[in-house]
Amino acid sequence: MLVSSRRGETLIELIVALVVLELVGAAALAAVLTAERLDRHATRGAAEDAARWQRYRELETLSSCVNAPAPDTIPLVFPPTVDRPTLPTAGRCGR
């Protein structure tokens, strides 16, 4: 009976396994960092959208706008921010 001298894993197999694990770990880390960056971007964008909406509603509820004798539009331009481009719009006054 011959006893095989090839027991266990070789050094090359262990190195390959470590490289594969490192690649998987790096990909997982990149995915987590990307998700975190996108979440920050979305949160800031939502806050800016809410601020723009609040400003638009304030324009609509001004007494000079609500009590306007004839329907009219008022140009309103929201400046660009880090997460949003310039937004030109118009507010409607009067009834």
Side-chain angles (χ1 to χ4, degrees), residues 13-32:
E13 290 172 333
L14 292 175
I15 290 173
V16 168
L18 286 173
V19 168
V20 168
L21 284 173
E22 184 178 342
L23 291 174
V24 169
L29 179 63
V32 167

Side-chain angles (χ1 to χ4, degrees), residues 29-93:
L29 179 63
V32 167
L33 292 175
T34 299
E36 183 180 335
R37 182 180 54 82
L38 290 174
D39 183 49
R40 257 192 333 263
H41 177 74
T43 302
R44 275 195 322 254
E48 290 169 5
D49 291 344
R52 285 179 173 188
W53 177 249
Q54 180 66 28
R55 187 163 165 221
Y56 182 81
R57 290 296 296 155
E58 288 171 359
L59 172 74
E60 281 186 331
T61 56
L62 286 175
S63 63
S64 61
C65 189
V66 172
N67 299 325
D72 193 13
T73 58
I74 298 172
L76 181 63
V77 178
F78 294 108
T81 62
V82 174
D83 297 304
R84 298 290 189 252
T86 301
L87 178 64
T89 186
R92 191 178 80 175
C93 291

